[in-house]
Amino acid sequence: MGHLLSKEASSLSRDCRCRRGRKVPPRSRSCFLRGPCMLCFIVHSASPPAPEQPLPAGDPLLPPPPYAALATAEQRAARRLLCLPPAAWEPRGRCQRLLLSGLLPSPVRGLLGPARPPGEVASEMVCKRKGAGLPACPPCKQPRCAAAAAAAAEPEAAACQCPGEAQLCALPAADGCAAGSGGAPARGAAGDSGGGGQPASPPPPPPAPEEREKEKERGGEAGCEEPLEHPGDCCREPLPPPAPDINQLPPSILLKIFSNLSLNERCLSASLVCKYWRDLCLDFQFWKQLDLSSRQQVTDELLEKIASRSQNITEINISDCRNVSDTGVCILAIKCPGLLRYTAYRCKQLSDTSIIAVASQCPLLQKVHVGNQDRLTDEGLKQLGSKCRELKDIHFGQCYKISDEGMIIIAKGCLKLQRIYMQENKLVTDQSVKAFAEHCPELQYVGFMGCSVTSKGVIHLTNLRNLSSLDLRHITELDNETVMEIVKRCKNLNSLNLCLNWIINDRCVEVIAKEGRNLKELYLVSCKITDYALIAIGRYSMTIETVDVGWCKEITDHGATQIAQSSKSLRYLGLMRCDQVNEATVEQLVQQYPHITFSTVLQDCKRTLERAYQMGWTPNMSTAS
């Protein structure tokens, strides 16, 4: 504004001074309002600007008489600047204070209208320096004299109409901004008075404390804003919210998710994602139940490290781990006294030492499955029977050195036994069956497949009222009367396996269908039965769902059709290698009874191929195949 009201401003364009012997070209127009870079402020009032009226001659704020003719041009220039779009100006507040303090020249104040009182919400005030955000149209030329100004008044007024003027939004009160900007008004007043010599009008009286507090609250929200470093930032779109992160979930939920993963998935996949996941995968709850079966990298040293890190292991499976010896199992048993379930199938390198250590160090043991261990003898079984009183589930199949001596000790010591399975134990006889039937009344599952057991020992199983599953496969000296007596007296029996017993006939099957009120599964593979057995099952049984008569050479289409038509509960019929059953008949039955699964060689192949297609398998149609 100092240059704006300078006494020599009008003569700058007419004076040509010589510097070092050469003429300086005349300067460009000396309009006193050239654009935003020449101002410190602009005030855009919400009310319409005052109409152009002649200023009173006695106004003390008017310039000296030689420049009185510029009053109309000043009014037009100020009005032209009011057409600038909002984006051309930035932080607000100083110009409102200048307006209120009376530091603006009267021509501009005449266009802006009367100043608002301090407690009132002011219009938008934006100050833009250094030419950023120039107006949509350049400022018009100003006349060099008063006569030219009168002649060019109308063309210039028409040429300065900017299309698409944007309406500026109202700002909070100026008093709130003044509170946040310190001594800005004082600095502005000093600059204006020093440059142009214009007297400043007295400032308005300060507002009351109550009003000042209200204005500070309103101004603190949006009025007092610091100038942006980059003016374009206010027009940028807000950044999208960050994507949800699974690590923001509570650890308990992540542990629940990881509990659904297998040991391989946790150790070889999840634990490699990040350090946080690795720590979660090392949580003690994941090391309570360990399935290390078929891992040749499992050694005694690894078992020792696992047991040292997690001493609360309750279940471990080391089946087919050929590099684990008795030493590793002993260390595991010593460091994990709370072990409840121990499984070690086909670990032929283990001996009685391992089973004795487990029995001695883990008195709470409930499950021992050590099938197919050639070196296991009755010495290990004696320790189990005498020290593991909580034992409920044992599996000693194909442990060929086990005899009645060890089995009887287990039967007498483990009174809570519920499941026992023996397979091909030729040294186990009827004495073991009798001991279990007498001392273990809670037995529910009994299996003596291929053992040296006869009907004299099997008949003692009728004392087991809770018996639900009986496996008597390949019992060479088993008669029909014993089987029928067991079915009659064991009312809770729901699964009976009589496969590989050639003595079982149609009469026995008929009694089973009539007396087995809760029987659901009946396996008669390679038994001496005919179509009559199937017809009896369909006619008398209302509970049997699974029937397997594979390798029964006397079964024909008639028996398969009759049981499918008459049985209301049948869901599976095994006809594998029943050579007298035609495949065309089976195809017809599949169409007529879709709720029943018919098992033949061709039907099983079709189901296997269909599952492969569903899993994404495609046949290789190349010539090489």
Side-chain angles (χ1 to χ4, degrees):
M1 294 298 296
H3 170 71
L4 191 70
L5 302 176
S6 175
K7 293 183 178 181
E8 299 178 359
S10 60
S11 63
L12 290 177
S13 59
R14 296 191 298 265
D15 295 341
C16 297
R17 301 176 181 179
C18 297
R19 296 178 181 177
R20 297 182 182 177
R22 58 187 180 88
K23 221 175 201 181
V24 179
R27 295 184 182 180
S28 61
R29 64 186 181 278
S30 58
C31 59
F32 69 101
L33 293 176
R34 297 181 59 186
C37 58
M38 299 298 294
L39 292 178
C40 296
F41 55 85
I42 179 170
V43 179
H44 184 73
S45 175
S47 59
E52 295 187 9
Q53 295 180 358
L55 296 177
D59 195 338
L61 295 180
L62 280 177
Y67 308 102
L70 295 177
T72 305
E74 291 176 0
Q75 292 178 3
R76 286 197 300 271
R79 184 186 301 238
R80 190 162 58 249
L81 289 175
L82 293 180
C83 299
L84 294 178
W89 309 98
E90 218 187 20
R92 314 165 288 256
R94 180 178 298 177
C95 39
Q96 171 106 4
R97 293 194 298 271
L98 294 177
L99 177 62
L100 294 176
S101 59
L103 299 180
L104 293 179
S106 59
V108 179
R109 286 191 293 109
L111 288 174
L112 296 177
R116 295 179 180 271
E120 208 174 316
V121 177
S123 58
E124 168 138 10
M125 298 163 291
V126 183
C127 182
K128 186 80 174 180
R129 293 189 177 94
K130 298 184 180 178
L134 293 176
C137 63
C140 303
K141 285 188 177 181
Q142 298 296 326
R144 299 179 181 270
C145 60
E154 294 304 325
E156 286 182 358
C160 291
Q161 301 298 327
C162 300
E165 299 179 1
Q167 184 71 19
L168 296 180
C169 301
L171 279 180
D175 195 58
C177 292
S181 58
R187 290 190 299 269
D192 288 347
S193 62
Q198 288 285 27
S201 61
E210 296 81 2
E211 296 180 358
R212 184 182 296 108
E213 293 297 330
K214 294 180 181 179
E215 295 301 328
K216 286 182 179 179
E217 293 178 2
R218 288 196 295 263
E221 296 177 359
C224 297
E225 297 180 357
E226 293 296 330
L228 295 178
E229 183 177 358
H230 302 287
D233 292 347
C234 59
C235 300
R236 294 179 183 174
E237 296 183 358
L239 295 176
D245 188 1
I246 189 174
N247 288 342
Q248 295 177 354
L249 294 175
S252 58
I253 297 181
L254 287 176
L255 291 175
K256 184 64 176 178
I257 295 174
F258 289 168
S259 65
N260 297 318
L261 303 178
S262 63
L263 182 63
N264 280 344
E265 292 171 338
R266 284 197 302 268
C267 294
L268 302 180
S269 299
S271 63
L272 303 180
V273 173
C274 61
K275 185 177 180 180
Y276 179 51
W277 283 27
R278 185 199 66 182
D279 295 340
L280 290 177
C281 291
L282 292 177
D283 191 80
F284 72 94
Q285 73 176 20
F286 295 138
W287 300 93
K288 285 185 175 181
Q289 302 174 357
L290 296 180
D291 186 5
L292 305 176
S293 58
S294 302
R295 291 179 172 85
Q296 302 308 317
Q297 63 269 30
V298 177
T299 60
D300 295 342
E301 291 77 14
L302 181 59
L303 278 182
E304 182 178 0
K305 291 180 181 179
I306 293 175
S308 300
R309 182 176 184 87
S310 177
Q311 299 183 3
N312 59 343
I313 296 177
T314 60
E315 180 177 356
I316 189 168
N317 185 353
I318 57 172
S319 299
D320 299 303
C321 294
R322 305 298 173 85
N323 296 323
V324 176
S325 64
D326 291 333
T327 304
V329 178
C330 293
I331 296 174
L332 176 69
I334 293 172
K335 294 190 175 183
C336 301
L339 191 64
L340 300 178
R341 291 173 287 275
Y342 172 67
T343 304
Y345 290 119
R346 294 172 294 278
C347 294
K348 297 180 179 295
Q349 72 278 8
L350 300 181
S351 63
D352 291 332
T353 305
S354 60
I355 201 67
I356 291 174
V358 172
S360 302
Q361 303 296 330
C362 307
L364 302 178
L365 203 61
Q366 298 179 4
K367 172 184 174 181
V368 177
H369 284 194
V370 289
N372 202 359
Q373 290 191 13
D374 299 337
R375 302 174 61 184
L376 187 61
T377 64
D378 293 332
E379 295 299 324
L381 271 63
K382 290 178 182 179
Q383 294 294 322
L384 284 175
S386 59
K387 297 182 179 181
C388 299
R389 300 293 181 176
E390 302 294 327
L391 203 59
K392 297 180 180 180
D393 187 359
I394 58 175
H395 187 299
F396 299 123
Q398 296 180 334
C399 296
Y400 302 115
K401 295 182 179 180
I402 292 178
S403 66
D404 291 334
E405 182 181 0
M407 297 298 292
I408 292 174
I409 294 177
I410 288 182
K412 292 180 179 181
C414 305
L415 305 181
K416 298 181 180 181
L417 205 61
Q418 297 178 0
R419 294 174 60 91
I420 177 174
Y421 183 77
M422 309 296 294
Q423 180 180 351
E424 304 295 335
N425 302 94
K426 300 300 182 181
L427 300 180
V428 176
T429 64
D430 294 336
Q431 297 181 10
S432 299
V433 179
K434 181 180 179 181
F436 283 111
E438 291 176 355
H439 298 286
C440 303
E442 297 182 10
L443 273 173
Q444 300 177 7
Y445 180 91
V446 176
F448 286 97
M449 175 184 176
C451 298
S452 301
V453 176
T454 65
S455 296
K456 295 180 180 181
V458 174
I459 195 63
H460 293 286
L461 298 178
T462 56
N463 298 326
L464 302 175
R465 302 302 179 185
N466 296 324
L467 187 64
S468 60
S469 181
L470 181 59
D471 188 353
L472 298 176
R473 288 177 291 177
H474 196 47
I475 304 297
T476 56
E477 298 185 15
L478 181 65
D479 53 39
N480 292 297
E481 286 73 15
T482 302
V483 175
M484 290 186 289
E485 189 66 21
I486 291 175
V487 174
K488 290 178 182 179
R489 298 179 65 175
C490 298
K491 300 297 184 180
N492 294 323
L493 192 66
N494 56 45
S495 179
L496 180 60
N497 196 332
L498 300 174
C499 299
L500 304 176
N501 288 306
W502 289 94
I503 197 173
I504 301 299
N505 54 25
D506 294 339
R507 178 174 171 270
C508 179
V509 175
E510 182 180 358
V511 173
I512 292 173
K514 291 180 179 179
E515 300 295 336
R517 300 303 175 90
N518 294 316
L519 194 65
K520 294 184 178 181
E521 299 177 0
L522 181 59
Y523 301 95
L524 302 169
V525 177
S526 296
C527 291
K528 194 177 180 180
I529 60 175
T530 62
D531 291 337
Y532 183 79
L534 294 181
I535 296 173
I537 293 172
R539 180 179 301 173
Y540 300 115
S541 178
M542 302 298 296
T543 59
I544 294 179
E545 299 177 357
T546 301
V547 176
D548 194 349
V549 292
W551 294 86
C552 294
K553 304 300 182 179
E554 302 297 327
I555 300 296
T556 63
D557 295 342
H558 178 67
T561 303
Q562 289 297 316
I563 189 175
Q565 291 177 352
S566 58
S567 178
K568 304 299 182 182
S569 59
L570 188 65
R571 295 295 180 267
Y572 177 87
L573 179 60
L575 300 172
M576 186 70 65
R577 289 308 304 271
C578 293
D579 298 336
Q580 296 191 39
V581 177
N582 296 324
E583 194 61 39
T585 304
V586 176
E587 287 287 350
Q588 185 177 0
L589 293 175
V590 168
Q591 299 296 328
Q592 293 180 354
Y593 307 98
H595 62 282
I596 301 176
T597 300
F598 296 89
S599 176
T600 62
V601 175
L602 185 58
Q603 293 298 322
D604 289 354
C605 291
K606 287 183 178 180
R607 281 189 290 270
T608 303
L609 190 60
E610 182 179 356
R611 285 194 297 268
Y613 279 124
Q614 292 176 356
M615 296 174 64
W617 176 83
T618 55
N620 188 0
M621 305 304 295
S622 62
T623 56
S625 61

